[in-house]
Amino acid sequence: MQFFVDTADLEKIKEINRWFPLDGVTTNPTLVADSGAEHHSLIRSICKEVKGPVSAEVLATSSEEMIKEAHVLAGLHPQVVVKLPLTKEGLVATACLSEENISTNLTLCFSALQALSAAKAGATFVSVFVGRLDDIGVDGMEMVSQVIHIFSQYQVKTKVLVASVRHLSHVLAASEIGADIVTIPPALFSKMVEHPLTDKGLAQFLKSAGRSINK
Ligand code: E4P
């Protein structure tokens, strides 16, 4: 399974990439706005930092405008994956971009049939928003299992990306059911590798050796 970070905060990306080599990055318009950075230069900087796909989202809502914006985003760096909403217009744009070999990530996917539609359009990735599904009382990870099962029956090449991850059990479940990718908010990355018994055990060992922890 591949691990992406879900943020547009370049400093956090650098910090995590130091101890957990990232396979890619996902951003969205909210995360970019929160970062305060200029979108295009930010995407270029992220691509320099992480060796893997970097999703940059279009803001257009018509297929024609999405395609124009996609060309600009894809031209920023070879690692850019154009993120498009899973709408009819997004599907039209995806099919055109797929013909041009431009990588796409169909975002805001909330049903297995939407995921299948993304695959039919030739999407490179489809982002299933598990946290937002859980919020409305639908089991997000169950939806991901369904998508993986459907895709496996038809040798679909579109990769299943688990997004809107809220807690470590989402990450664990994603790995257990064989999701291709999980995109994780920065705070959860630390929680994934830290454990109080590791800290306690290390402190004990160092104390025995007459040493202290160098941070
Ligand atoms: C994925 O690509 C999205 O950026 C993200 O996972 C959305 O998560 P949220 O539901 O926490 O906003």
Side-chain angles (χ1 to χ4, degrees), residues 4-7 25-31 55 57 83 105-108 110 127-133 135 161-166 183-185:
F4 290 5
V5 67
D6 192 29
T7 186
V25 179
T26 50
T27 67
N28 66 40
T30 306
L31 295 172
S55 287
E57 191 159 341
K83 208 174 184 191
N105 176 359
L106 273 270
T107 190
L108 295 166
F110 295 99
S127 292
V128 183
F129 275 45
V130 294
R132 294 193 197 190
L133 279 166
D135 289 345
L161 197 161
V162 177
S164 186
V165 164
R166 300 277 166 78
T183 189
I184 308 174

Side-chain angles (χ1 to χ4, degrees), residues 14-191:
K14 286 181 182 171
E15 198 270 321
I16 295 165
N17 202 33
R18 190 174 71 82
W19 47 269
F20 196 109
L22 293 163
D23 297 307
V25 179
T26 50
T27 67
N28 66 40
T30 306
L31 295 172
V32 172
D34 289 348
S35 79
E38 193 279 317
H39 191 201
H40 293 180
S41 62
L42 174 69
I43 295 296
R44 281 200 200 93
S45 303
I46 295 174
C47 289
K48 275 188 208 149
E49 178 61 30
V50 175
K51 298 194 186 341
V54 174
S55 287
E57 191 159 341
V58 299
L59 296 175
T61 50
S62 73
S63 58
E64 293 82 4
E65 292 301 314
M66 283 179 187
I67 292 166
K68 277 188 207 157
E69 213 179 323
H71 287 152
V72 175
L73 292 173
L76 295 175
H77 196 281
Q79 282 166 239
V80 169
V81 171
V82 179
K83 208 174 184 191
L84 304 131
L86 213 164
T87 58
K88 290 176 188 168
E89 294 300 304
L91 291 173
V92 172
T94 300
C96 291
L97 296 168
S98 161
E99 289 284 314
E100 298 176 39
N101 287 320
I102 292 178
S103 300
T104 52
N105 176 359
L106 273 270
T107 190
L108 295 166
C109 176
F110 295 99
S111 82
L113 291 177
Q114 279 187 309
L116 194 53
S117 308
K120 289 288 282 177
T124 318
F125 303 94
V126 62
S127 292
V128 183
F129 275 45
V130 294
R132 294 193 197 190
L133 279 166
D134 290 352
D135 289 345
I136 58 160
V138 177
D139 186 335
M141 290 313 305
E142 186 54 41
M143 179 83 67
V144 175
S145 292
Q146 212 177 9
V147 174
I148 292 172
H149 174 66
I150 294 168
F151 281 13
S152 71
Q153 300 207 70
Y154 302 102
Q155 290 83 48
V156 169
K157 290 198 183 110
T158 304
K159 290 190 189 307
V160 180
L161 197 161
V162 177
S164 186
V165 164
R166 300 277 166 78
H167 36 75
L168 289 182
S169 59
H170 280 147
V171 181
L172 188 60
S175 64
E176 283 175 336
I177 63 178
D180 295 301
I181 302 142
V182 62
T183 189
I184 308 174
L188 275 189
F189 261 103
S190 295
K191 287 190 182 162

